[in-house]
Amino acid sequence: MRPGRQQKLAEDTGEAHAVDGALANSGVLKVAGDLVLGQRRSTAPRSGYLHEVAQLAAAQFEGRAAELAAMAAFSTAPPGVQRDQGGEVCTAYWRWLAPAWSGKTALMAQFSLCPPQGVDVLAFFITARAAGRSDRTAFLAALQGQLREYLCDADVDCASQGQFLDALERAADRATAEGRQLVLVVDGLDEDTGVESASSGYSIAALLPRVPPPGLRIVVAGRPNPPIPSDVLENHPLHSARINHLLAPSPEAQALRKAAERDLHALLTGGGLGREVACLIAAANGGLSAQDLADLMGEVSAWEVEEVLGGSLGRSFQRRPTQWPAPGDQPAHLFSFAHEELQQGAVKRISRAARERYRARVHAFIDAWCEASWPRDTPELRSRRLPTDVA
């Protein structure tokens, strides 16, 4: 996306900064400042992924000037490698490492929404608590949409790693030809649900290029643990500690954590509709709309559910647009916990017997849609594997 639409989204999320960069849903060609040289004609649909990033962004982003400046310098530095006392350092990769609730996602979202001048961004935010947003299939689908729009080519196919890397190289070549820099942002490597154990494969990390093409930089973020998945090649830059940069916890993120945990406690101990909503979202691992929740509970309207999720206790939840809206329908939103730690905290606070009862209701809900042959208004939850207890 070029500055016009991106500026509007920045204003909508409270970040009305003047920006020249772009999430790679491009429309206007620029070389400097506000000089518009031409318009790309594309038959490819807009990916819309920037709207999902905006949902993950901080309501009022504060601080992190030094971190954003470091990311900007990395993104626009000349290509190649640097040498230090330990040897070569790959300048194409940058990794933020920090524990939970440090503000990693807020920082990555801010950079994606308001990138430095001359920088275009492709992004994917791995979100284990949201249906269809946390494995390599979701990653390839999201990047396919963005690359189609960036390249103005509706035929771009990222069904395989090779096709994805080819499209990524084409995008980097295009950015270079236009005098711009392309950055791939991947947040939440530790939430990749395709990695079930230290020895299992099929990770998003393994899809990232070992040798990025000129014109491409890659910024990733995650927790120090779990380690890099075993299917990542041994000579991949992700195995190098020299790309690591420790991110100090944000005071704002810590304050948000305390408030969200208080809200979750109030929901689970208060009983009534609030507890039902929290327990069903925890049982389904996110991905439920207000109407889904109303249907699951019975004798409750979607409006009543929205009142709970939009009230003062709603800080424990986040919403995102549906991935497959039915043609002609009003845009709907799916709800999940605002942080993976809240999802896990809710699951721990609910007894095993209660969890099984709530999951049985969700399974019955999905089965009913299946028996109806998946009509056009089928909830997106049908594509989600429900979690199972391991203890």
Side-chain angles (χ1 to χ4, degrees):
M1 178 180 295
R2 291 298 189 197
R5 286 181 62 216
Q6 185 179 17
Q7 178 67 24
K8 177 63 168 63
L9 271 169
E11 292 169 355
D12 290 345
T13 56
E15 299 296 339
H17 301 294
V19 295
D20 173 67
L23 193 98
N25 305 331
S26 305
V28 179
L29 301 183
K30 296 186 67 178
V31 292
D34 295 322
L35 177 63
V36 179
L37 295 185
Q39 185 75 28
R40 290 183 180 174
R41 303 294 181 183
S42 175
T43 58
R46 290 178 175 177
S47 77
Y49 193 74
L50 184 59
H51 292 281
E52 295 192 31
V53 177
Q55 297 297 322
L56 296 170
Q60 289 186 321
F61 187 84
E62 298 178 0
R64 298 295 197 194
E67 290 84 353
L68 288 170
M71 294 170 74
F74 163 77
S75 300
T76 56
V81 296
Q82 297 175 348
R83 296 181 183 274
D84 62 11
Q85 294 180 349
E88 293 185 348
V89 180
C90 176
T91 59
Y93 273 87
W94 178 291
R95 176 166 51 210
W96 286 118
L97 288 177
W101 292 103
S102 294
K104 298 185 295 297
T105 296
L107 175 63
M108 297 283 271
Q110 177 69 12
F111 180 84
S112 299
L113 290 168
C114 301
Q117 184 174 5
V119 172
D120 299 335
V121 175
L122 298 161
F124 186 71
F125 286 70
I126 306 172
T127 313
R129 62 192 178 278
R133 293 296 189 275
S134 59
D135 58 24
R136 61 193 292 153
T137 300
F139 172 83
L140 290 173
L143 267 297
Q144 176 175 281
Q146 294 175 65
L147 286 164
R148 283 179 174 180
E149 189 170 353
Y150 191 77
L151 294 168
C152 305
D153 183 357
D155 294 326
V156 169
D157 190 345
C158 294
S160 69
Q161 180 180 22
Q163 291 169 313
F164 162 65
L165 294 177
D166 178 72
L168 193 62
E169 183 173 345
R170 287 172 55 198
D173 289 345
R174 180 161 198 162
T176 300
E178 295 174 5
R180 302 182 67 81
Q181 184 70 47
L182 186 65
V183 176
L184 174 60
V185 170
V186 183
D187 179 62
L189 287 180
D190 54 288
E191 294 191 35
D192 188 345
T193 56
V195 183
E196 298 181 353
S197 68
S199 60
S200 65
Y202 308 108
S203 70
I204 292 171
L207 294 173
L208 303 179
R210 183 178 62 83
V211 181
L216 175 67
R217 301 293 161 80
I218 299 174
V219 179
V220 301
R223 305 180 197 178
N225 285 298
I228 299 301
S230 61
D231 61 336
V232 178
L233 297 174
E234 291 185 4
N235 56 351
H236 197 287
L238 288 175
H239 286 292
S240 173
R242 298 193 183 102
I243 69 169
N244 293 344
H245 302 269
L246 301 181
L247 183 65
S250 162
E252 291 78 15
Q254 295 297 306
L256 181 62
R257 173 183 188 171
K258 293 178 181 178
E261 288 177 341
R262 286 195 300 269
D263 292 347
L264 177 61
H265 179 77
L267 283 169
L268 293 176
T269 59
L273 185 59
R275 176 181 170 82
E276 284 289 288
V277 167
C279 289
L280 284 168
I281 291 178
N285 206 15
L288 292 170
S289 70
Q291 187 60 58
D292 295 337
L293 288 161
D295 292 342
L296 277 160
M297 287 183 280
E299 298 184 359
V300 173
S301 69
W303 177 84
E304 291 175 279
V305 175
E306 290 273 9
E307 284 293 292
V308 172
L309 294 169
S312 60
L313 298 181
R315 289 175 295 187
S316 296
F317 305 98
Q318 68 177 22
R319 65 174 68 200
R320 65 170 176 82
T322 55
Q323 186 175 5
W324 301 293
D329 285 359
Q330 291 293 322
H333 291 87
L334 304 181
F335 293 91
S336 60
F337 284 102
H339 197 283
E340 181 63 16
E341 292 290 309
L342 291 174
Q343 165 71 27
Q344 298 301 322
V347 170
K348 291 177 181 177
R349 287 174 171 86
I350 304 169
S351 70
R352 179 187 293 273
R355 288 198 302 270
E356 291 307 315
R357 288 197 300 270
Y358 282 110
R359 285 173 183 159
R361 288 165 61 182
V362 176
H363 278 294
F365 178 68
I366 297 173
D367 290 343
W369 288 98
C370 177
E371 292 171 2
S373 301
W374 307 117
R376 64 189 297 273
D377 56 343
T378 298
E380 289 189 16
L381 181 66
R382 70 170 183 165
S383 66
R384 183 68 182 223
R385 282 189 314 172
L386 297 187
T388 55
D389 291 325
V390 295

